Amino acid sequence: MAVQVIMVHNHPGGNVTPSYEDQDLTDHFIQAGKFLKVEVIDHLIISDETYHSFVDSGIFKKLQASEKWILPYKLKERYKNEGKEEGLREKAIEIAKALKQKEISMKIIAETSGLSIEEIKKL
């Protein structure tokens, strides 16, 4: 029933610098955690003498923004939503054009359509 996890593994040789593989695995786990609703909050590499925190070093933030291992259904959702946004913008432009032809004030057209006054002037 965990809602957050911290990944931890050791580097017995003492060098706690994350390898490409360490970062890639963390990226995988972050995406898997999103799917499972179990947030990965850090990855620690430990040795007998020291440790490395992905959060403290800034690597974790970069990996959270990564889309290398994004799940296919998430991409599908994004593309679907982007299509809707484009359709809504086209509709707003149509409405703005119609209102502009009726000589409605630019301010009211902007408030109604969500377009900027500069965009409306160009129509």
Side-chain angles (χ1 to χ4, degrees), residues 23-51:
Q23 293 181 50
D24 199 45
L25 181 66
T26 305
D27 196 352
H28 268 95
F29 270 76
I30 289 169
Q31 292 302 323
K34 289 177 183 177
F35 178 73
L36 297 170
K37 295 182 175 37
V38 178
E39 179 186 19
V40 178
I41 60 172
D42 201 352
H43 183 171
L44 302 175
I45 300 174
I46 60 173
S47 73
D48 288 340
E49 302 294 322
T50 190
Y51 74 97

PDB file of all heavy atoms in Angstrom, residues 23-51:
ATOM      1  N   GLN A  23      20.795   5.810 -14.340  1.00  0.00           N
ATOM      2  CA  GLN A  23      19.851   6.869 -14.701  1.00  0.00           C
ATOM      3  C   GLN A  23      18.697   6.309 -15.530  1.00  0.00           C
ATOM      4  O   GLN A  23      17.534   6.660 -15.327  1.00  0.00           O
ATOM      5  CB  GLN A  23      20.566   7.982 -15.460  1.00  0.00           C
ATOM      6  CG  GLN A  23      21.559   8.728 -14.590  1.00  0.00           C
ATOM      7  CD  GLN A  23      22.251   9.836 -15.321  1.00  0.00           C
ATOM      8  OE1 GLN A  23      21.596  10.650 -15.955  1.00  0.00           O
ATOM      9  NE2 GLN A  23      23.572   9.878 -15.244  1.00  0.00           N
ATOM     10  N   ASP A  24      19.020   5.420 -16.468  1.00  0.00           N
ATOM     11  CA  ASP A  24      17.992   4.836 -17.327  1.00  0.00           C
ATOM     12  C   ASP A  24      17.006   4.004 -16.501  1.00  0.00           C
ATOM     13  O   ASP A  24      15.793   4.079 -16.699  1.00  0.00           O
ATOM     14  CB  ASP A  24      18.660   3.983 -18.406  1.00  0.00           C
ATOM     15  CG  ASP A  24      17.756   3.717 -19.587  1.00  0.00           C
ATOM     16  OD1 ASP A  24      17.095   4.670 -20.069  1.00  0.00           O
ATOM     17  OD2 ASP A  24      17.716   2.557 -20.049  1.00  0.00           O
ATOM     18  N   LEU A  25      17.515   3.230 -15.579  1.00  0.00           N
ATOM     19  CA  LEU A  25      16.655   2.424 -14.715  1.00  0.00           C
ATOM     20  C   LEU A  25      15.748   3.321 -13.869  1.00  0.00           C
ATOM     21  O   LEU A  25      14.554   3.048 -13.699  1.00  0.00           O
ATOM     22  CB  LEU A  25      17.492   1.522 -13.804  1.00  0.00           C
ATOM     23  CG  LEU A  25      16.697   0.616 -12.870  1.00  0.00           C
ATOM     24  CD1 LEU A  25      15.906  -0.414 -13.665  1.00  0.00           C
ATOM     25  CD2 LEU A  25      17.631  -0.073 -11.889  1.00  0.00           C
ATOM     26  N   THR A  26      16.302   4.398 -13.354  1.00  0.00           N
ATOM     27  CA  THR A  26      15.511   5.346 -12.559  1.00  0.00           C
ATOM     28  C   THR A  26      14.400   5.943 -13.410  1.00  0.00           C
ATOM     29  O   THR A  26      13.253   6.058 -12.967  1.00  0.00           O
ATOM     30  CB  THR A  26      16.411   6.461 -11.997  1.00  0.00           C
ATOM     31  OG1 THR A  26      17.477   5.868 -11.265  1.00  0.00           O
ATOM     32  CG2 THR A  26      15.625   7.403 -11.100  1.00  0.00           C
ATOM     33  N   ASP A  27      14.727   6.304 -14.643  1.00  0.00           N
ATOM     34  CA  ASP A  27      13.735   6.837 -15.577  1.00  0.00           C
ATOM     35  C   ASP A  27      12.599   5.829 -15.776  1.00  0.00           C
ATOM     36  O   ASP A  27      11.418   6.175 -15.724  1.00  0.00           O
ATOM     37  CB  ASP A  27      14.414   7.170 -16.905  1.00  0.00           C
ATOM     38  CG  ASP A  27      13.599   8.068 -17.809  1.00  0.00           C
ATOM     39  OD1 ASP A  27      12.417   8.345 -17.506  1.00  0.00           O
ATOM     40  OD2 ASP A  27      14.147   8.498 -18.843  1.00  0.00           O
ATOM     41  N   HIS A  28      12.961   4.562 -15.974  1.00  0.00           N
ATOM     42  CA  HIS A  28      11.953   3.502 -16.111  1.00  0.00           C
ATOM     43  C   HIS A  28      11.047   3.443 -14.868  1.00  0.00           C
ATOM     44  O   HIS A  28       9.824   3.358 -14.976  1.00  0.00           O
ATOM     45  CB  HIS A  28      12.630   2.128 -16.255  1.00  0.00           C
ATOM     46  CG  HIS A  28      12.894   1.700 -17.640  1.00  0.00           C
ATOM     47  ND1 HIS A  28      14.095   1.909 -18.267  1.00  0.00           N
ATOM     48  CD2 HIS A  28      12.109   1.051 -18.526  1.00  0.00           C
ATOM     49  CE1 HIS A  28      14.050   1.392 -19.479  1.00  0.00           C
ATOM     50  NE2 HIS A  28      12.858   0.875 -19.668  1.00  0.00           N
ATOM     51  N   PHE A  29      11.673   3.445 -13.715  1.00  0.00           N
ATOM     52  CA  PHE A  29      10.909   3.325 -12.467  1.00  0.00           C
ATOM     53  C   PHE A  29       9.995   4.530 -12.241  1.00  0.00           C
ATOM     54  O   PHE A  29       8.894   4.382 -11.718  1.00  0.00           O
ATOM     55  CB  PHE A  29      11.851   3.147 -11.268  1.00  0.00           C
ATOM     56  CG  PHE A  29      12.165   1.715 -10.965  1.00  0.00           C
ATOM     57  CD1 PHE A  29      13.061   1.008 -11.755  1.00  0.00           C
ATOM     58  CD2 PHE A  29      11.569   1.073  -9.896  1.00  0.00           C
ATOM     59  CE1 PHE A  29      13.350  -0.319 -11.485  1.00  0.00           C
ATOM     60  CE2 PHE A  29      11.857  -0.260  -9.611  1.00  0.00           C
ATOM     61  CZ  PHE A  29      12.753  -0.968 -10.413  1.00  0.00           C
ATOM     62  N   ILE A  30      10.452   5.719 -12.612  1.00  0.00           N
ATOM     63  CA  ILE A  30       9.604   6.910 -12.471  1.00  0.00           C
ATOM     64  C   ILE A  30       8.342   6.743 -13.305  1.00  0.00           C
ATOM     65  O   ILE A  30       7.231   6.996 -12.831  1.00  0.00           O
ATOM     66  CB  ILE A  30      10.374   8.193 -12.866  1.00  0.00           C
ATOM     67  CG1 ILE A  30      11.435   8.509 -11.812  1.00  0.00           C
ATOM     68  CG2 ILE A  30       9.419   9.369 -13.043  1.00  0.00           C
ATOM     69  CD1 ILE A  30      12.420   9.601 -12.227  1.00  0.00           C
ATOM     70  N   GLN A  31       8.494   6.295 -14.550  1.00  0.00           N
ATOM     71  CA  GLN A  31       7.323   6.085 -15.421  1.00  0.00           C
ATOM     72  C   GLN A  31       6.439   4.965 -14.889  1.00  0.00           C
ATOM     73  O   GLN A  31       5.213   5.077 -14.882  1.00  0.00           O
ATOM     74  CB  GLN A  31       7.758   5.798 -16.861  1.00  0.00           C
ATOM     75  CG  GLN A  31       8.395   6.975 -17.555  1.00  0.00           C
ATOM     76  CD  GLN A  31       7.491   8.196 -17.597  1.00  0.00           C
ATOM     77  OE1 GLN A  31       6.275   8.109 -17.762  1.00  0.00           O
ATOM     78  NE2 GLN A  31       8.085   9.363 -17.426  1.00  0.00           N
ATOM     79  N   ALA A  32       7.042   3.875 -14.444  1.00  0.00           N
ATOM     80  CA  ALA A  32       6.260   2.765 -13.882  1.00  0.00           C
ATOM     81  C   ALA A  32       5.511   3.223 -12.636  1.00  0.00           C
ATOM     82  O   ALA A  32       4.344   2.859 -12.426  1.00  0.00           O
ATOM     83  CB  ALA A  32       7.178   1.595 -13.546  1.00  0.00           C
ATOM     84  N   GLY A  33       6.171   4.044 -11.824  1.00  0.00           N
ATOM     85  CA  GLY A  33       5.525   4.571 -10.626  1.00  0.00           C
ATOM     86  C   GLY A  33       4.309   5.419 -10.958  1.00  0.00           C
ATOM     87  O   GLY A  33       3.297   5.357 -10.267  1.00  0.00           O
ATOM     88  N   LYS A  34       4.394   6.204 -12.042  1.00  0.00           N
ATOM     89  CA  LYS A  34       3.240   7.002 -12.460  1.00  0.00           C
ATOM     90  C   LYS A  34       2.074   6.095 -12.818  1.00  0.00           C
ATOM     91  O   LYS A  34       0.928   6.367 -12.478  1.00  0.00           O
ATOM     92  CB  LYS A  34       3.606   7.898 -13.648  1.00  0.00           C
ATOM     93  CG  LYS A  34       4.526   9.035 -13.283  1.00  0.00           C
ATOM     94  CD  LYS A  34       4.925   9.843 -14.509  1.00  0.00           C
ATOM     95  CE  LYS A  34       5.913  10.937 -14.151  1.00  0.00           C
ATOM     96  NZ  LYS A  34       6.367  11.681 -15.338  1.00  0.00           N
ATOM     97  N   PHE A  35       2.374   5.011 -13.523  1.00  0.00           N
ATOM     98  CA  PHE A  35       1.330   4.069 -13.920  1.00  0.00           C
ATOM     99  C   PHE A  35       0.719   3.378 -12.700  1.00  0.00           C
ATOM    100  O   PHE A  35      -0.493   3.226 -12.601  1.00  0.00           O
ATOM    101  CB  PHE A  35       1.900   3.026 -14.886  1.00  0.00           C
ATOM    102  CG  PHE A  35       0.917   1.987 -15.305  1.00  0.00           C
ATOM    103  CD1 PHE A  35      -0.107   2.299 -16.187  1.00  0.00           C
ATOM    104  CD2 PHE A  35       0.993   0.691 -14.819  1.00  0.00           C
ATOM    105  CE1 PHE A  35      -1.028   1.343 -16.578  1.00  0.00           C
ATOM    106  CE2 PHE A  35       0.082  -0.269 -15.201  1.00  0.00           C
ATOM    107  CZ  PHE A  35      -0.937   0.059 -16.084  1.00  0.00           C
ATOM    108  N   LEU A  36       1.558   2.994 -11.753  1.00  0.00           N
ATOM    109  CA  LEU A  36       1.102   2.267 -10.565  1.00  0.00           C
ATOM    110  C   LEU A  36       0.621   3.185  -9.444  1.00  0.00           C
ATOM    111  O   LEU A  36       0.166   2.708  -8.413  1.00  0.00           O
ATOM    112  CB  LEU A  36       2.238   1.385 -10.033  1.00  0.00           C
ATOM    113  CG  LEU A  36       2.719   0.294 -10.983  1.00  0.00           C
ATOM    114  CD1 LEU A  36       3.989  -0.345 -10.448  1.00  0.00           C
ATOM    115  CD2 LEU A  36       1.624  -0.743 -11.191  1.00  0.00           C
ATOM    116  N   LYS A  37       0.758   4.497  -9.651  1.00  0.00           N
ATOM    117  CA  LYS A  37       0.401   5.487  -8.637  1.00  0.00           C
ATOM    118  C   LYS A  37       1.230   5.317  -7.362  1.00  0.00           C
ATOM    119  O   LYS A  37       0.743   5.447  -6.241  1.00  0.00           O
ATOM    120  CB  LYS A  37      -1.101   5.467  -8.344  1.00  0.00           C
ATOM    121  CG  LYS A  37      -1.933   5.880  -9.541  1.00  0.00           C
ATOM    122  CD  LYS A  37      -3.400   5.905  -9.217  1.00  0.00           C
ATOM    123  CE  LYS A  37      -4.283   6.402 -10.300  1.00  0.00           C
ATOM    124  NZ  LYS A  37      -4.053   6.126 -11.654  1.00  0.00           N
ATOM    125  N   VAL A  38       2.509   4.983  -7.573  1.00  0.00           N
ATOM    126  CA  VAL A  38       3.486   4.897  -6.494  1.00  0.00           C
ATOM    127  C   VAL A  38       4.646   5.794  -6.913  1.00  0.00           C
ATOM    128  O   VAL A  38       5.457   5.437  -7.759  1.00  0.00           O
ATOM    129  CB  VAL A  38       3.981   3.454  -6.270  1.00  0.00           C
ATOM    130  CG1 VAL A  38       5.032   3.410  -5.164  1.00  0.00           C
ATOM    131  CG2 VAL A  38       2.826   2.531  -5.951  1.00  0.00           C
ATOM    132  N   GLU A  39       4.710   6.980  -6.325  1.00  0.00           N
ATOM    133  CA  GLU A  39       5.683   7.982  -6.733  1.00  0.00           C
ATOM    134  C   GLU A  39       7.094   7.626  -6.273  1.00  0.00           C
ATOM    135  O   GLU A  39       7.327   7.333  -5.103  1.00  0.00           O
ATOM    136  CB  GLU A  39       5.282   9.337  -6.133  1.00  0.00           C
ATOM    137  CG  GLU A  39       6.215  10.458  -6.468  1.00  0.00           C
ATOM    138  CD  GLU A  39       5.865  11.740  -5.749  1.00  0.00           C
ATOM    139  OE1 GLU A  39       5.142  11.699  -4.724  1.00  0.00           O
ATOM    140  OE2 GLU A  39       6.320  12.800  -6.210  1.00  0.00           O
ATOM    141  N   VAL A  40       8.030   7.649  -7.205  1.00  0.00           N
ATOM    142  CA  VAL A  40       9.446   7.504  -6.868  1.00  0.00           C
ATOM    143  C   VAL A  40       9.920   8.896  -6.443  1.00  0.00           C
ATOM    144  O   VAL A  40       9.764   9.857  -7.189  1.00  0.00           O
ATOM    145  CB  VAL A  40      10.271   6.994  -8.069  1.00  0.00           C
ATOM    146  CG1 VAL A  40      11.748   6.905  -7.703  1.00  0.00           C
ATOM    147  CG2 VAL A  40       9.749   5.643  -8.556  1.00  0.00           C
ATOM    148  N   ILE A  41      10.470   9.014  -5.234  1.00  0.00           N
ATOM    149  CA  ILE A  41      10.849  10.340  -4.736  1.00  0.00           C
ATOM    150  C   ILE A  41      12.359  10.572  -4.685  1.00  0.00           C
ATOM    151  O   ILE A  41      12.801  11.699  -4.529  1.00  0.00           O
ATOM    152  CB  ILE A  41      10.199  10.662  -3.370  1.00  0.00           C
ATOM    153  CG1 ILE A  41      10.598   9.656  -2.305  1.00  0.00           C
ATOM    154  CG2 ILE A  41       8.685  10.732  -3.514  1.00  0.00           C
ATOM    155  CD1 ILE A  41      10.134  10.031  -0.905  1.00  0.00           C
ATOM    156  N   ASP A  42      13.160   9.529  -4.849  1.00  0.00           N
ATOM    157  CA  ASP A  42      14.611   9.689  -4.927  1.00  0.00           C
ATOM    158  C   ASP A  42      15.231   8.351  -5.288  1.00  0.00           C
ATOM    159  O   ASP A  42      14.575   7.300  -5.237  1.00  0.00           O
ATOM    160  CB  ASP A  42      15.201  10.190  -3.593  1.00  0.00           C
ATOM    161  CG  ASP A  42      16.572  10.855  -3.741  1.00  0.00           C
ATOM    162  OD1 ASP A  42      17.158  10.816  -4.846  1.00  0.00           O
ATOM    163  OD2 ASP A  42      17.056  11.418  -2.741  1.00  0.00           O
ATOM    164  N   HIS A  43      16.480   8.401  -5.670  1.00  0.00           N
ATOM    165  CA  HIS A  43      17.289   7.203  -5.902  1.00  0.00           C
ATOM    166  C   HIS A  43      18.627   7.476  -5.239  1.00  0.00           C
ATOM    167  O   HIS A  43      19.282   8.468  -5.539  1.00  0.00           O
ATOM    168  CB  HIS A  43      17.456   6.954  -7.401  1.00  0.00           C
ATOM    169  CG  HIS A  43      18.220   5.701  -7.711  1.00  0.00           C
ATOM    170  ND1 HIS A  43      18.311   5.221  -8.986  1.00  0.00           N
ATOM    171  CD2 HIS A  43      18.935   4.835  -6.952  1.00  0.00           C
ATOM    172  CE1 HIS A  43      19.041   4.106  -8.995  1.00  0.00           C
ATOM    173  NE2 HIS A  43      19.428   3.869  -7.764  1.00  0.00           N
ATOM    174  N   LEU A  44      18.996   6.605  -4.325  1.00  0.00           N
ATOM    175  CA  LEU A  44      20.265   6.747  -3.615  1.00  0.00           C
ATOM    176  C   LEU A  44      21.226   5.653  -4.055  1.00  0.00           C
ATOM    177  O   LEU A  44      20.834   4.492  -4.180  1.00  0.00           O
ATOM    178  CB  LEU A  44      20.061   6.628  -2.101  1.00  0.00           C
ATOM    179  CG  LEU A  44      19.094   7.607  -1.453  1.00  0.00           C
ATOM    180  CD1 LEU A  44      18.925   7.267   0.031  1.00  0.00           C
ATOM    181  CD2 LEU A  44      19.564   9.037  -1.621  1.00  0.00           C
ATOM    182  N   ILE A  45      22.459   6.046  -4.305  1.00  0.00           N
ATOM    183  CA  ILE A  45      23.536   5.079  -4.531  1.00  0.00           C
ATOM    184  C   ILE A  45      24.442   5.188  -3.314  1.00  0.00           C
ATOM    185  O   ILE A  45      24.902   6.279  -2.974  1.00  0.00           O
ATOM    186  CB  ILE A  45      24.321   5.387  -5.818  1.00  0.00           C
ATOM    187  CG1 ILE A  45      23.386   5.351  -7.032  1.00  0.00           C
ATOM    188  CG2 ILE A  45      25.462   4.381  -5.990  1.00  0.00           C
ATOM    189  CD1 ILE A  45      24.029   5.792  -8.330  1.00  0.00           C
ATOM    190  N   ILE A  46      24.673   4.063  -2.656  1.00  0.00           N
ATOM    191  CA  ILE A  46      25.438   4.099  -1.407  1.00  0.00           C
ATOM    192  C   ILE A  46      26.725   3.285  -1.529  1.00  0.00           C
ATOM    193  O   ILE A  46      26.828   2.369  -2.343  1.00  0.00           O
ATOM    194  CB  ILE A  46      24.607   3.582  -0.212  1.00  0.00           C
ATOM    195  CG1 ILE A  46      24.155   2.139  -0.443  1.00  0.00           C
ATOM    196  CG2 ILE A  46      23.396   4.483   0.025  1.00  0.00           C
ATOM    197  CD1 ILE A  46      23.476   1.485   0.743  1.00  0.00           C
ATOM    198  N   SER A  47      27.695   3.673  -0.726  1.00  0.00           N
ATOM    199  CA  SER A  47      28.923   2.884  -0.554  1.00  0.00           C
ATOM    200  C   SER A  47      29.234   2.882   0.933  1.00  0.00           C
ATOM    201  O   SER A  47      28.491   3.472   1.725  1.00  0.00           O
ATOM    202  CB  SER A  47      30.078   3.502  -1.351  1.00  0.00           C
ATOM    203  OG  SER A  47      30.529   4.692  -0.737  1.00  0.00           O
ATOM    204  N   ASP A  48      30.326   2.259   1.314  1.00  0.00           N
ATOM    205  CA  ASP A  48      30.696   2.230   2.733  1.00  0.00           C
ATOM    206  C   ASP A  48      30.986   3.622   3.272  1.00  0.00           C
ATOM    207  O   ASP A  48      30.795   3.890   4.456  1.00  0.00           O
ATOM    208  CB  ASP A  48      31.932   1.346   2.949  1.00  0.00           C
ATOM    209  CG  ASP A  48      31.608  -0.128   2.798  1.00  0.00           C
ATOM    210  OD1 ASP A  48      30.420  -0.495   2.898  1.00  0.00           O
ATOM    211  OD2 ASP A  48      32.563  -0.914   2.567  1.00  0.00           O
ATOM    212  N   GLU A  49      31.459   4.523   2.413  1.00  0.00           N
ATOM    213  CA  GLU A  49      31.914   5.833   2.856  1.00  0.00           C
ATOM    214  C   GLU A  49      30.955   6.989   2.577  1.00  0.00           C
ATOM    215  O   GLU A  49      30.957   7.986   3.272  1.00  0.00           O
ATOM    216  CB  GLU A  49      33.253   6.161   2.181  1.00  0.00           C
ATOM    217  CG  GLU A  49      34.345   5.150   2.441  1.00  0.00           C
ATOM    218  CD  GLU A  49      34.774   5.100   3.893  1.00  0.00           C
ATOM    219  OE1 GLU A  49      34.824   6.176   4.520  1.00  0.00           O
ATOM    220  OE2 GLU A  49      35.023   3.995   4.397  1.00  0.00           O
ATOM    221  N   THR A  50      30.130   6.884   1.517  1.00  0.00           N
ATOM    222  CA  THR A  50      29.339   8.037   1.087  1.00  0.00           C
ATOM    223  C   THR A  50      28.083   7.578   0.358  1.00  0.00           C
ATOM    224  O   THR A  50      27.804   6.368   0.282  1.00  0.00           O
ATOM    225  CB  THR A  50      30.198   8.980   0.206  1.00  0.00           C
ATOM    226  OG1 THR A  50      29.491  10.192  -0.011  1.00  0.00           O
ATOM    227  CG2 THR A  50      30.582   8.339  -1.119  1.00  0.00           C
ATOM    228  N   TYR A  51      27.378   8.531  -0.170  1.00  0.00           N
ATOM    229  CA  TYR A  51      26.184   8.215  -0.964  1.00  0.00           C
ATOM    230  C   TYR A  51      25.991   9.293  -2.022  1.00  0.00           C
ATOM    231  O   TYR A  51      26.588  10.361  -1.969  1.00  0.00           O
ATOM    232  CB  TYR A  51      24.939   8.121  -0.069  1.00  0.00           C
ATOM    233  CG  TYR A  51      24.436   9.465   0.412  1.00  0.00           C
ATOM    234  CD1 TYR A  51      23.392  10.111  -0.243  1.00  0.00           C
ATOM    235  CD2 TYR A  51      25.014  10.096   1.516  1.00  0.00           C
ATOM    236  CE1 TYR A  51      22.933  11.353   0.177  1.00  0.00           C
ATOM    237  CE2 TYR A  51      24.562  11.331   1.942  1.00  0.00           C
ATOM    238  CZ  TYR A  51      23.522  11.953   1.274  1.00  0.00           C
ATOM    239  OH  TYR A  51      23.082  13.184   1.692  1.00  0.00           O
TER     240      TYR A  51
END
